[in-house]
Every structure is written in structure tokens, then in C-alpha cells.
Amino acid sequence: QVHLVESGGGLVQPGGSLRLSCAASGSIVGFTAMGWYRQAPGKQRELVAHITSGGTTNYADSVKGRFTISRDNAKNTVYLQMNSLKPEDTAVYYCNVHTRSSLGTPYDYWGQGTQVTVSS
């Protein structure tokens, strides 16, 4: 049983900030990375940011310098701090946990999604 529960989404003014949280429960075997994806209306799902088991981070060019991904291993939670939000950041944000078996077989777990709306 692996469940990802997202929180922190909502409505915010342009230039404002939000912090998304994703709490993972259950046993995750072969963990390699956790990250955030988003899907805006009429657009494909895209990677926003991820952090590997070793702590390496990666960001989409569109959010680099504004968003920060972090994790709290004790709480089994990953965060996405979003600053200087723009209307184009409006999307449903999904938490993702990526695993890989010892033989290299990948498997992904997904949260239910949380809506982020940036509007004046």
C-alpha cells in the first residue's frame, strides 16, 4: 500500500507564494526520486521539479529560480515552494514517486492532484 496525499493548492494572486506538500505512506521499495508534475488546461502533463534519492534536484526552465523542491525524510514528505507565481503556473499539480527494481524495471506512484490557480 503506497499512497500519496497532496495538499497546499489554492487560489493566489500573481506574485504570491504557495507551498505544496506530498506525504507518502506505505513502504516504497527501490525509491529513486520524488517530484512534481503539472497539467494545465489543454496542455500535456509536464515535469516541474524532482529530487533524487541522492538529493540532486532538477527544474523545468519555466520555474527555475522561482520554485524550490525539498524533502523531509523523517516525515516522508516532499515539498514544492512556489514563489513569484504567474498566471501560467495555473494547473493541477501531481506528486510523483519513481521507483526502479534491481533489474531496472521502473514503477511510478501518483497522487490525486491539487489545483493551483494564479489569478487577480
Side-chain angles (χ1 to χ4, degrees):
Q1 304 184 68
V2 176
H3 300 283
L4 305 178
V5 180
E6 299 138 325
S7 62
L11 174 64
V12 66
Q13 298 284 328
S17 298
L18 286 173
R19 189 181 75 162
L20 305 183
S21 299
C22 175
S25 63
S27 179
I28 302 177
V29 179
F31 168 81
T32 60
M34 295 185 70
W36 292 92
Y37 290 74
R38 69 185 181 187
Q39 186 167 18
K43 301 191 69 176
Q44 295 182 324
R45 175 175 57 89
E46 64 176 353
L47 175 67
V48 178
H50 71 82
I51 182 168
T52 70
S53 60
T56 301
T57 59
N58 186 65
Y59 298 92
D61 289 341
S62 60
V63 307
K64 189 175 182 180
R66 299 187 297 120
F67 292 9
T68 302
I69 189 169
S70 62
R71 66 185 181 189
D72 186 332
N73 291 333
K75 297 181 179 180
N76 212 21
T77 300
V78 64
Y79 304 95
L80 185 68
Q81 179 66 45
M82 305 185 294
N83 299 325
S84 302
L85 283 162
K86 304 175 181 179
E88 51 262 46
D89 295 318
T90 296
V92 177
Y93 285 70
Y94 297 92
C95 180
N96 167 266
V97 173
H98 183 73
T99 67
R100 187 175 295 274
S101 73
S102 60
L103 298 178
T105 303
Y107 189 84
D108 289 284
Y109 299 92
W110 294 93
Q112 81 285 352
T114 184
Q115 177 71 47
V116 172
T117 302
V118 185
S119 177
S120 60

